[in-house]
Amino acid sequence: MPSSIHHVLVSLLICVLWTEPTIAIKQSYIVYLGSHSHGPDPSSFDIESATNSHYDLLGSYLGSTEKAKEAIFYSYNKNINGFAAILDEDEAAEVAKNPNVISIFLNKKHKLQTTHSWDFLRLKSNGGIRKDSIWKRSFGEDIIIGNIDTGVWPESKSFSDEGMGPIPKKWHGICQVDKQNQDKFFCNRKLIGARYFYKGFLASPSGGKGLHSVSFNSARDIDGHGTHTLSTAGGNFVANASVFGYGNGTASGGSPKARVVAYKVCWDSCYDADILAGFEAAISDGVDVLSVSLGGDFPVEFYDSSISIGSFHAVANNIIVVAAGGNSGPAPSTVSNLEPWVFTVAASTIDREFTSFVTLGDNKTLKGASLSELELLPNKLYPLITGADVKYDNASSKDALNCEGGTLDPQKAKGKILVCFQVPDDCHFLCRTHKGVEAARVGAVGIILANSDKDSGSGIQADPHVLPSSYVNFIDGSYIFNYINHTKSPVAYISKVTTQLATKPAPFIASFSARGPNLVEPTILKPDITAPGVDIIAAYSENISPSEQEYDKRRTLFNIMSGTSMSCPHVAGLVGLVKSLHPNWSPAAVKSAIMTTATTEDNTGGPILDSFKEKATPFDYGAGHIQPNRVVDPGLVYDLNITDYMNFLCARGYNSSMLRFFYGKPYTCPKSFNLKDFNYPAITILDFKVGQSINVTRTLTNVGSPSTYTAQIQAPPEYVIYVEPKTLSFNQKGEKKEFRVTLTFKLQSKDKSDYVFGKLIWTNGKNYVVGIPIALNNPH
Ligand SMILES: *[C@@H]1O[C@H](CO)[C@@H](O)[C@H](O)[C@H]1NC(C)=O
Ligand SMILES: *[C@@H]1O[C@H](CO)[C@@H](O)[C@H](O)[C@H]1NC(C)=O
Ligand SMILES: *[C@@H]1O[C@H](CO)[C@@H](O)[C@H](O)[C@H]1NC(C)=O
Ligand SMILES: *[C@@H]1O[C@H](CO)[C@@H](O)[C@H](O)[C@H]1NC(C)=O
Ligand SMILES: *[C@@H]1O[C@H](CO)[C@@H](O)[C@H](O)[C@H]1NC(C)=O
Ligand SMILES: *[C@@H]1O[C@H](CO)[C@@H](O)[C@H](O)[C@H]1NC(C)=O
Ligand SMILES: *[C@@H]1O[C@H](CO)[C@@H](O)[C@H](O)[C@H]1NC(C)=O
Ligand SMILES: *[C@@H]1O[C@H](CO)[C@@H](O)[C@H](O)[C@H]1NC(C)=O
């Protein structure tokens, strides 16, 4: 009828005219439901029913199951019960009211965060495997390590299956290859599986933009990150690996004979819905270890995080989840991946540096970092000039000093060495290599990056720039600027890169490594541990240049990278070794073994320092630096199981619906459970008052030979700490003993720091030394 057509038109017009600014925008959401009614081993019928129940539920809001099928892009139908769907805000609000819906979240994005490191970790030396090396006992044979990341470059020699036996029977996964795709992706007996999840990225506000020349339908790594991290965890031995000949040697992962699997969830970013799909697949596929070098920008409550929920289900299925602590250091409370069931890794240096020296016209020589293979002509000094002095008239001095794109005048820069400011906190790898590209583009012959932030510590990284380069610390950078200011014709030379080994002190904490305390739950110490994460050489994607700049046409089979993304897979590789030697240990027992055997000393015998050359604390490194050869036989472990983690969530005040995110059935919280008694391998108490005493309990489980242990306390001067009983005897494997620690704040501190630190060690006086960190607040 005409009138009704008119009505439709008018309403459409009204809609366009009046409601456009607030029109319900379609966004992608993750909808969590209660437990699956099927058990842990669903049949294909169970899985199909679960998916159908998702269609029915959403269909009842959208008008039909057809519409629901269109809207839903993931049905989490195996371990995690829920789905991801495109909905408008009103629909999402309606769905949220359904009694079966526990919660509904926006699909948010997450950031991504060689080979000498295994020598530094004492697995090998002089090219051979050390006598006391854990590698004498295991190469991680038949352990399956999954990596949730940007995919993998399958042709890399690190994933060669030479010498690998048949694929373990426990593997249930697939090698997802799209027949239409010409990219020739493949798996083998080393890289036994790969999957890709992009629907959350497509459904994100960017709608999948930002990808060029790349098909979605492949787990191929076009970024390099995933290849680097996966090969660090489980790459095979590759002789004669190097970046431009630097750092040459045998490359390998921590578990060189493990099987590896790539779950590609990161495209331009990594979205929640894809991450969760990756976790769910990994659980069903039968992986033993998951390496997750991802994190959000801000810490979020556990029920609000796909990584928290995915990792909880993984741990409940006996998978050990290792995650990066993040690169937002050195400010306090920057660490992310804060769940007690996750193994969270900080980043520190190894005893190798890639150095290029800057020599100035006054004969002063300064030590910087570089991994550029290009060299200046020898025995020649080049004019030295700052970015600000070669700026275009229309550019600001500040931008030009930072050598930002389009600010530098080639007429002024040509043939000179350019000095550029480098603000470490808001300018990471890509930004640094971009400055190199800018310098090369305007005809500079070399670039010196000068760390411009005295509060960022001495952190400098060796980057594969497209021209001769050196990255110098704040003090040396200031010297260079001062020299330029006070010299008529400043000149300089940048030396060829040299590799320095056995550098001291090492390790020290990387300035970028994110720091505790834990913003979500301060009584759980985070990060848990530190491992090598600066200037790490590992396999790389041949799709991209080592500087990750388009301008750069170089390709390398191996590349150097820094970040907690690099330290995380070192720990994942170590976990693979422990798991292969102790298949029955729980994820918490493996984590405890690695934490209680960690060291807080560096290679000078002094305490591990931070990048300011000050003594580092458990908020920098958790329990300390990994010592792989000690991990196999820790003596005692602080164990935890799923009941403990549920009690932990109870103690955080989670109500029954929040608990259902995590647990497959209703969970009744215990009447009394104190977070202080949560059996974590660290004691962190932050609510002390002057004169107050607090008791905490812990339980040790024997995994070693029969021994009698005594407690040793290193108490901070402000506290008195007693342990009761003071000795514990263990006769059998699996035997458990509880002890109590009484901490009393006795003395107002002269020290104005917010926290003080100590250590509790149980030792049999011989081979077993079981240490945990203590972090206490410092009332003043
Ligand atoms: C090692 O690698 C370098 C650079 O890639 C190459 O020039 C050299 O021939 C290789 N040596 C061996 C023994 O394979
Ligand atoms: C690395 O290269 C240097 C220089 O070519 C050579 O002396 C050294 O033996 C190589 N090291 C390894 C482990 O191949
Ligand atoms: C730098 O050292 C060279 C060689 O030792 C010497 O000839 C030159 O005079 C020195 N220059 C300055 C400024 O000290
Ligand atoms: C600044 O001037 C240069 C050279 O004239 C020009 O190429 C560039 O586009 C200008 N930049 C801006 C932001 O106007
Ligand atoms: C060098 O001079 C510039 C201005 O020309 C000034 O901003 C800077 O602080 C000076 N640096 C040093 C180290 O003297
Ligand atoms: C977890 O360990 C506690 C003892 O520490 C035990 O009471 C509980 O039954 C265990 N839970 C599971 C699920 O094994
Ligand atoms: C649990 O808490 C959430 C958030 O405060 C609330 O929305 C929900 O209704 C609560 N559920 C129960 C069963 O109390
Ligand atoms: C700590 O435990 C001991 C022994 O049970 C008890 O005597 C003491 O009162 C407790 N202290 C506190 C502060 O609860």
Side-chain angles (χ1 to χ4, degrees):
M1 262 172 2
S3 70
S4 84
I5 286 169
H6 184 73
H7 180 76
V8 169
L9 284 171
V10 168
S11 67
L12 216 137
L13 252 169
I14 288 171
C15 181
V16 169
L17 287 176
W18 299 104
T19 68
E20 214 238 24
T22 55
I23 201 163
I25 300 163
K26 296 247 183 205
Q27 286 181 283
S28 51
Y29 292 87
I30 299 170
V31 179
Y32 287 109
L33 302 167
S35 50
H36 279 298
S37 49
H38 62 62
D41 289 310
S43 65
S44 55
F45 175 78
D46 292 334
I47 290 172
E48 200 183 320
S49 323
T51 298
N52 285 335
S53 72
H54 297 161
Y55 292 150
D56 289 345
L57 187 149
L58 189 61
S60 68
Y61 294 93
L62 302 186
S64 71
T65 48
E66 293 315 308
K67 285 189 177 153
K69 282 182 190 171
E70 266 170 41
I72 291 179
F73 59 93
Y74 287 122
S75 171
Y76 306 112
N77 50 21
K78 300 182 195 80
N79 303 287
I80 298 157
N81 191 7
F83 55 86
I86 314 266
L87 302 169
D88 68 35
E89 232 170 286
D90 292 345
E91 288 163 352
E94 283 307 307
V95 171
K97 289 182 197 153
N98 184 305
N100 291 319
V101 170
I102 291 169
S103 200
I104 174 161
F105 296 110
L106 270 175
N107 173 33
K108 297 181 299 290
K109 72 175 183 181
H110 294 264
K111 275 202 293 202
L112 275 170
Q113 318 259 349
T114 185
T115 60
H116 175 67
S117 47
W118 304 113
D119 297 71
F120 182 59
L121 294 168
R122 297 167 175 272
L123 301 188
K124 43 181 194 157
S125 62
N126 301 325
I129 294 167
R130 284 171 59 116
K131 270 207 203 84
D132 59 347
S133 173
I134 186 172
W135 277 354
K136 287 280 182 198
R137 305 178 62 170
S138 169
F139 289 124
E141 285 88 348
D142 288 345
I143 291 297
I144 302 175
I145 300 179
N147 192 32
I148 299 189
D149 209 300
T150 63
V152 64
W153 193 260
E155 290 85 0
S156 169
K157 279 190 188 162
S158 294
F159 307 118
S160 153
D161 65 0
E162 214 183 302
M164 307 292 297
I167 292 172
K169 290 218 168 52
K170 64 184 173 188
W171 173 245
H172 302 303
I174 58 164
C175 185
Q176 191 178 6
V177 175
D178 177 2
K179 294 261 160 37
Q180 311 296 317
N181 194 323
Q182 304 292 305
D183 84 341
K184 302 200 172 83
F185 189 89
F186 64 89
C187 297
N188 58 24
R189 291 189 315 276
K190 173 72 179 176
L191 175 64
I192 59 173
R195 296 180 189 257
Y196 49 90
F197 301 96
Y198 57 77
K199 293 174 188 168
F201 174 40
L202 281 186
S204 74
S206 81
K209 286 202 201 75
L211 271 190
H212 31 87
S213 72
V214 154
S215 163
F216 280 121
N217 300 317
S218 173
R220 181 172 291 280
D221 178 17
I222 57 159
D223 178 276
H225 190 273
T227 302
H228 202 280
T229 52
L230 185 55
S231 65
T232 301
N236 216 331
F237 292 106
V238 184
N240 194 31
S242 74
V243 187
F244 309 130
Y246 295 120
N248 62 348
T250 299
S252 86
S255 278
K257 295 293 170 202
R259 315 302 170 122
V260 297
V261 186
Y263 296 96
K264 177 167 182 167
V265 303
C266 296
W267 306 86
D268 75 331
S269 276
C270 331
Y271 284 87
D272 275 321
D274 298 328
I275 294 171
L276 205 55
F279 272 108
E280 176 154 275
I283 296 166
S284 305
D285 289 351
V287 308
D288 299 302
V289 185
L290 268 176
S291 192
V292 187
S293 288
L294 320 170
D297 282 340
F298 305 103
V300 289
E301 189 53 61
F302 306 124
Y303 63 76
D304 199 6
S305 151
S306 62
I307 296 180
S308 289
I309 292 165
S311 60
F312 189 97
H313 284 85
V315 171
N317 283 276
N318 242 0
I319 298 168
I320 302 149
V321 181
V322 185
N327 300 339
S328 326
S333 293
T334 43
V335 61
S336 65
N337 292 324
L338 303 172
E339 305 74 13
W341 50 87
V342 166
F343 202 176
T344 308
V345 190
S348 43
T349 61
I350 58 177
D351 64 344
R352 175 184 65 189
E353 290 173 11
F354 296 106
T355 299
S356 67
F357 293 95
V358 174
T359 306
L360 301 174
D362 66 357
N363 281 350
K364 176 87 172 176
T365 295
L366 306 166
K367 186 172 124 183
S370 174
L371 203 72
S372 170
E373 87 281 30
L374 298 157
E375 292 174 46
L376 292 171
L377 293 175
N379 305 320
K380 185 168 174 332
L381 290 170
Y382 293 81
L384 181 69
I385 197 156
T386 72
D389 289 334
V390 299
K391 77 178 192 64
Y392 276 129
D393 293 343
N394 61 4
S396 80
S397 292
K398 181 167 172 279
D399 291 349
L401 189 54
N402 285 323
C403 295
E404 282 174 17
T407 62
L408 307 175
D409 184 347
Q411 306 252 308
K412 300 178 190 161
K414 196 166 167 27
K416 295 175 182 156
I417 293 175
L418 208 54
V419 186
C420 305
F421 257 168
Q422 168 58 31
V423 189
D425 279 359
D426 40 67
C427 181
H428 296 287
F429 177 79
L430 274 178
C431 169
R432 297 195 300 266
T433 56
H434 187 255
K435 291 175 193 212
V437 164
E438 283 304 301
R441 225 202 284 278
V442 298
V445 295
I447 187 169
I448 298 170
L449 293 181
N451 185 331
S452 65
D453 178 8
K454 69 174 188 308
D455 296 326
S456 74
S458 57
I460 49 174
Q461 288 96 45
D463 298 322
H465 283 284
V466 294
L467 75 176
S469 69
S470 190
Y471 183 8
V472 298
N473 69 24
F474 176 78
I475 293 171
D476 292 344
S478 306
Y479 186 93
I480 294 171
F481 278 104
N482 194 43
Y483 163 72
I484 293 174
N485 280 8
H486 295 98
T487 308
K488 210 174 198 167
S489 306
V491 288
Y493 185 74
I494 300 174
S495 78
K496 171 177 163 31
V497 173
T498 53
T499 307
Q500 306 198 310
L501 290 171
T503 58
K504 289 180 177 178
F508 64 84
I509 304 298
S511 60
F512 60 76
S513 185
R515 308 302 211 263
N518 180 333
L519 265 192
V520 171
E521 178 46 67
T523 62
I524 300 297
L525 182 72
K526 289 284 172 177
D528 292 308
I529 200 92
T530 192
V534 178
D535 295 343
I536 302 302
I537 293 176
Y540 201 57
S541 166
E542 288 179 61
N543 177 67
I544 188 164
S545 65
S547 64
E548 294 183 34
Q549 302 292 337
E550 290 242 8
Y551 175 94
D552 185 357
K553 301 300 175 210
R554 298 173 300 174
R555 293 294 181 266
T556 47
L557 301 175
F558 288 82
N559 194 19
I560 189 161
M561 296 180 86
S562 296
T564 52
S565 285
M566 282 67 241
S567 56
C568 166
H570 275 91
V571 174
L574 174 56
V575 163
L577 300 177
V578 181
K579 185 77 185 171
S580 73
L581 293 167
H582 299 293
N584 298 327
W585 283 9
S586 70
V590 173
K591 175 170 160 177
S592 172
I594 295 175
M595 286 176 71
T596 61
T597 56
T599 180
T600 55
E601 281 181 9
D602 65 20
N603 62 0
T604 69
I608 293 178
L609 303 179
D610 64 17
S611 55
F612 302 97
K613 306 250 185 301
E614 280 162 22
K615 192 174 164 185
T617 75
F619 288 150
D620 302 312
Y621 54 55
H625 189 259
I626 56 170
Q627 295 200 100
N629 300 339
R630 286 203 50 218
V631 166
V632 196
D633 192 15
L636 305 170
V637 295
Y638 292 82
D639 207 357
L640 286 162
N641 63 23
I642 287 300
T643 311
D644 299 310
Y645 296 130
M646 289 307 291
N647 292 344
F648 163 84
L649 295 174
C650 290
R652 284 197 60 65
Y654 279 31
N655 64 25
S656 59
S657 38
M658 290 159 164
L659 291 173
R660 280 169 64 199
F661 287 164
F662 297 91
Y663 204 58
K665 40 193 184 286
Y667 188 78
T668 311
C669 286
K671 286 210 176 54
S672 66
F673 174 77
N674 195 325
L675 265 187
K676 293 184 180 75
D677 301 328
F678 182 67
N679 205 37
Y680 210 65
I683 295 174
T684 311
I685 306 173
L686 301 177
D687 51 5
F688 265 107
K689 290 170 194 68
V690 177
Q692 190 187 10
S693 271
I694 290 180
N695 284 342
V696 306
T697 63
R698 290 288 185 274
T699 301
L700 284 163
T701 305
N702 184 33
V703 295
S705 44
S707 281
T708 297
Y709 292 79
T710 55
Q712 295 175 354
I713 296 282
Q714 295 165 14
E718 296 80 5
Y719 282 84
V720 177
I721 302 178
Y722 289 114
V723 177
E724 186 60 42
K726 287 180 181 52
T727 64
L728 292 173
S729 285
F730 294 89
N731 296 309
Q732 273 150 29
K733 288 237 161 102
E735 196 176 347
K736 289 178 187 289
K737 296 251 157 106
E738 190 181 84
F739 65 91
R740 189 183 66 238
V741 184
T742 304
L743 309 100
T744 308
F745 185 83
K746 101 189 144 169
L747 166 97
Q748 202 82 16
S749 179
K750 277 183 240 118
D751 184 352
K752 284 284 175 247
S753 53
D754 290 338
Y755 303 96
V756 289
F757 303 95
K759 202 164 181 177
L760 164 60
I761 297 164
W762 286 97
T763 176
N764 67 350
K766 289 180 270 191
N767 52 331
Y768 295 134
V769 182
V770 188
I772 60 171
I774 300 174
L776 306 165
N777 71 327
N778 188 21
H780 42 224

